Amino acid sequence: MRIQENEIALESNVEIVRGKYTGASALIDALEEAGVSCIFANLGSDHPAIIESWAQSTLDNKKIPDVIICPHEFVAISAAHGYAQVSGKPQAVFVHVECGTQNLGGGVHNAAVGKVPILIFAGASPFTQEGELTGSRNEFIHWLQDVSDQRGIVREYMKYDNELRTGKNIKQIVHRALQISQSEPKGPVYLMAAREVLEEEVAPVSINVNGWGAISPSAVHPQKIEEIGTALLEAEKPLIITSYLGRNKEAVGELVTLAEKLSIPVIESAPNYLNFPADHPLHLGYQWNTPSQNQILADADLILILDSDVPWIPMINKPADTSKIYYIDEDPLKERIPLWYIPSESFIKADSVTALQQLNGWLSEADINEEAVKQRHTVISHLHNAQRKEWKKQEQLVDEEVITPAFLIASLREAIDNDTIVLNEAITNYESVCKHLGLTEPGTYLGSGASSLGWNGGAAIGAKLAAPDKTIVSLTGDGTYMFSNPTPVHWVSKKYNAPFLTIIFNNKGWGAPRVSTLGVHPNGVANQTDQFWVNFDPTAEYSKVAEAAGGAFARKVQKPSELQEALKQGLEIVKSGQSVVLDVCIPQVSEQEL
Ligand SMILES: Cc1ncc(C[n+]2csc(CCOP(=O)(O)OP(=O)(O)O)c2C)c(N)n1
Ligand SMILES: [Mg+2]
């Protein structure tokens, strides 16, 4: 989809003086060459050369990335995050000097922790003040925005940061930054440039983009494949745990092949992609912050972890000491997480698709005890069926007047089709969403993969722009809806024709800090006196915010009897091109069960 700022209607006798080819032109050209589809931008006094270059490109009918104006930087980076997750390709975010960089806020944490490729570009205060160069200081803010280490604001979260010092090699540096951003483990990169550099007239540089590809996928050493394969064959109770293997859709099919070959059950731990079909008889559920020991984990004699930052929480839930563990991940030592260790036999740095293909290849030649595999399949599928029966029970209403999260999610499951992508930022209901939605197709489920709340609003826009034929459904807590900056979110959604359906799990407050308090102080003063500072009563009319900001269809849903019809209506409206916000009342924070 190409999005133009305006249809240009010029009098034929008006002669336009051509703009120069500048550092800014090179920056935009490099992004286009690299396959960046969108620049999510929030502009300022640092960007005149960029605006000039966009105007010239429009005039020349030259293809450049779509410019999506985002009136808040957190929305911009969240949209780039969602777009990159769906498309697999890095996107760009342009922000205003150090102020705009600060406003990216928790989106920077989300991109880094969620391992999403994003190129952030920020201008910088001019470095001349007497008109020595084009772009020299001419506004009072240029003195106020001059800080000594702008890149330092976000450096801890970036895979790479640099300052563009001349227009002459901007393309090379942009390609280098994108190369690093796209190489596993993927992540955000940050470039900055002062106005003079962006204004510098330069000769266009031609680049062979094929020379700047991401690192090719890493394989597991063949000896290790043999070791893991043998261990899997010998294990009586093997188990696979994964969180984000499904970011490469191809990995899901490979995992199914491996699991089926040996009847290995799969548990998803705090997943932010669909990793294994929920209805598969070898799927044995989810682990989030569940405050109890998972018996399947405790009983496993061999655990293969594939792509997971937190496979379990050892204080409450861990494998047996005798269990043999193999850990495969693009970043198996989690070098950026100061406290991180798991008791693994081997830490293997590899791409999960490649590793699974290798294991499947090795096993296709192996001598498999088919009878044992068959028996295990029977046992696991019984466990699977019992688990699903229990979940089904949870979907039954206890009170005909009260919508429970399980009932809401089950109703949504019945209402959506296969062309839907669901975004989950439902916080204390994260796990319920996975359990009761039961998604089966790779690429149909996304989480931020991190913890700075509010990702879902911008991400829904990004997901819709990346996949215009899909229906985007965003599930959010009420607190998280407010974190998402709903005013700019819905304004952008309307302006750029990116409709999506939001469902607010409205429990009138922040459930999570209350649950956290009870987790540490189950009989503490806060619990005894029922004071948690998490209550939103009286609440805002959330859906009306969306209506005012972006013409969204707004509806509050209070009773179970209304839900089915409201979901049907919401989905119909969103498919017709208008965003929808359903504000659904669920039991209040204080009544929430642990
Ligand atoms: C930017 C940011 N601020 C604060 C937090 C801490 N926090 C974690 S969960 C949560 C409450 C979320 O509330 P809501 O979306 O209503 O979900 P609920 O807990 O009620 O299910 C908060 C404030 C955070 N993770 N990120
Ligand atoms: Mg809440």
Side-chain angles (χ1 to χ4, degrees):
M1 185 176 25
R2 292 275 112 192
I3 299 164
Q4 276 207 335
E5 176 60 17
N6 292 310
E7 287 300 320
I8 311 176
L10 294 169
E11 303 279 333
S12 54
N13 58 354
V14 174
E15 199 168 316
I16 307 246
V17 180
R18 227 191 135 64
K20 292 173 180 158
Y21 190 89
T22 61
S25 319
L27 169 64
I28 304 301
D29 281 357
L31 295 175
E32 175 65 28
E33 279 170 12
V36 169
S37 307
C38 291
I39 298 170
F40 298 94
N42 191 294
L43 302 173
S45 57
D46 41 345
H47 299 132
I50 288 169
I51 293 172
E52 278 289 297
S53 114
W54 288 341
Q56 186 65 57
S57 298
T58 314
L59 199 60
D60 295 345
N61 227 348
K62 178 174 155 184
K63 192 164 173 287
I64 59 167
D66 289 334
V67 178
I68 312 291
I69 295 302
C70 296
H72 196 289
E73 294 82 350
F74 178 77
V75 176
I77 192 168
S78 302
H81 189 141
Y83 198 115
Q85 282 182 291
V86 171
S87 69
K89 297 228 174 97
Q91 302 303 314
V93 175
F94 282 16
V95 297
H96 172 57
V97 299
E98 34 82 71
C99 310
T101 302
Q102 302 267 13
N103 249 10
L104 291 165
V108 165
H109 153 100
N110 288 341
V113 177
K115 304 173 223 344
V116 173
I118 295 175
L119 184 142
I120 302 163
F121 171 79
S125 251
F127 52 76
T128 58
Q129 67 173 23
E130 296 185 45
E132 298 92 326
L133 293 164
T134 311
S136 199
R137 292 186 184 184
N138 63 346
E139 298 179 36
F140 76 95
I141 41 118
H142 291 151
W143 283 266
L144 310 184
Q145 295 174 335
D146 191 1
V147 295
S148 55
D149 186 12
Q150 185 174 312
R151 288 146 64 189
I153 299 168
V154 290
R155 183 169 297 122
E156 181 164 0
Y157 298 90
M158 296 297 128
K159 283 192 75 187
Y160 171 80
D161 66 87
N162 202 354
E163 176 169 0
L164 307 171
R165 294 187 176 86
T166 163
K168 293 191 173 63
N169 66 358
I170 282 184
K171 273 195 168 184
Q172 290 88 332
I173 293 176
V174 168
H175 286 296
R176 170 165 167 71
L178 284 169
Q179 181 175 37
I180 294 172
S181 180
Q182 291 180 79
S183 292
E184 293 277 6
K186 296 178 184 178
V189 292
Y190 184 86
L191 295 176
M192 59 174 265
R195 288 216 304 197
E196 292 90 332
V197 174
L198 296 172
E199 293 286 353
E200 182 187 339
E201 185 172 7
V202 292
V205 172
S206 108
I207 290 267
N208 175 6
V209 286
N210 296 330
W212 302 86
I215 299 179
S216 40
S218 318
V220 182
H221 192 288
Q223 262 172 18
K224 274 286 163 204
I225 287 293
E226 190 173 341
E227 187 184 323
I228 301 170
T230 309
L232 284 170
L233 287 176
E234 285 169 358
E236 279 181 29
K237 293 190 170 178
L239 171 66
I240 293 172
I241 300 182
T242 179
S243 303
Y244 43 82
L245 155 156
R247 70 194 183 287
N248 297 320
K249 291 186 206 162
E250 207 187 336
V252 179
E254 293 292 344
L255 181 58
V256 169
T257 305
L258 174 63
E260 286 178 352
K261 198 161 273 178
L262 296 181
S263 297
I264 312 173
V266 176
I267 289 179
E268 293 184 85
S269 181
N272 58 318
Y273 292 92
L274 184 136
N275 302 296
F276 197 70
D279 62 349
H280 195 289
L282 294 169
H283 195 300
L284 282 192
Y286 306 89
Q287 295 186 160
W288 292 79
N289 292 339
T290 326
S292 57
Q293 175 69 51
N294 184 332
Q295 206 47 47
I296 299 146
L297 178 66
D299 290 345
D301 56 356
L302 181 104
I303 301 168
L304 176 60
I305 308 169
L306 287 155
D307 290 339
S308 179
D309 288 340
V310 188
W312 53 77
I313 298 174
M315 200 170 106
I316 34 188
N317 178 34
K318 62 177 177 182
D321 292 342
T322 49
S323 165
K324 210 174 200 186
I325 297 164
Y326 285 94
Y327 182 60
I328 302 178
D329 191 283
E330 288 286 2
D331 175 21
L333 291 184
K334 302 288 161 216
E335 291 172 40
R336 285 185 161 204
I337 304 180
L339 176 64
W340 190 95
Y341 57 90
I342 55 167
S344 179
E345 202 77 16
S346 288
F347 294 89
I348 301 159
K349 187 173 168 60
D351 162 59
S352 48
V353 180
T354 312
L356 283 164
Q357 284 168 344
Q358 288 179 283
L359 274 173
N360 287 333
W362 189 87
L363 284 167
S364 66
E365 311 268 295
D367 192 8
I368 296 173
N369 179 347
E370 297 296 350
E371 192 44 43
V373 168
K374 216 168 130 194
Q375 275 177 20
R376 188 155 61 218
H377 194 278
T378 311
V379 174
I380 307 293
S381 52
H382 272 119
L383 285 172
H384 168 92
N385 291 338
Q387 194 177 61
R388 307 304 144 129
K389 222 166 147 186
E390 184 54 38
W391 295 356
K392 254 275 141 354
K393 262 200 237 156
Q394 295 165 5
E395 293 169 7
Q396 304 302 316
L397 289 178
V398 181
D399 180 339
E400 291 295 322
E401 297 296 304
V402 180
I403 299 172
T404 59
F407 178 78
L408 166 57
I409 301 154
S411 306
L412 178 65
R413 178 184 66 222
E414 303 307 321
I416 56 175
D417 58 31
N418 279 342
D419 281 325
T420 307
I421 299 177
V422 178
L423 276 57
N424 182 6
E425 207 173 15
I427 316 304
T428 50
N429 290 299
Y430 271 138
E431 185 169 348
S432 288
V433 169
C434 288
K435 277 166 39 176
H436 301 289
L437 211 49
L439 294 172
T440 57
E441 293 301 316
T444 55
Y445 171 84
L446 297 176
S448 73
S451 72
S452 197
L453 303 185
W455 155 89
N456 75 87
I461 293 168
K464 183 65 183 176
L465 292 173
D469 297 337
K470 301 279 181 192
T471 305
I472 310 296
V473 176
S474 179
L475 308 180
T476 176
D478 48 343
T480 299
Y481 184 71
M482 285 200 269
F483 278 119
S484 76
N485 287 287
T487 305
V489 161
H490 285 286
W491 179 84
V492 176
S493 158
K494 173 135 193 256
K495 176 160 172 86
Y496 296 101
N497 191 23
F500 61 95
L501 166 65
T502 304
I503 298 176
I504 301 175
F505 286 60
N506 191 345
N507 58 0
K508 297 194 177 164
W510 290 338
R514 175 177 170 272
V515 174
S516 301
T517 307
L518 294 174
V520 183
H521 302 284
N523 303 311
V525 185
N527 193 18
Q528 291 172 64
T529 58
D530 196 17
Q531 303 177 92
F532 291 93
W533 287 269
V534 294
N535 209 311
F536 284 169
D537 234 356
T539 61
E541 287 293 330
Y542 304 117
S543 56
K544 295 281 178 197
V545 174
E547 183 181 76
F553 174 80
R555 180 165 174 183
K556 201 162 180 158
V557 188
Q558 279 165 312
K559 290 191 176 168
S561 55
E562 301 165 52
L563 193 57
Q564 197 186 3
E565 189 269 321
L567 287 168
K568 187 165 172 279
Q569 181 190 35
L571 284 161
E572 268 167 22
I573 293 174
V574 82
K575 284 178 189 178
S576 77
Q578 183 186 5
S579 271
V580 175
V581 177
L582 297 180
D583 180 0
V584 182
C585 300
I586 57 172
Q588 291 197 25
V589 172
S590 54
E591 291 153 23
Q592 207 166 335
E593 285 173 30
L594 296 186

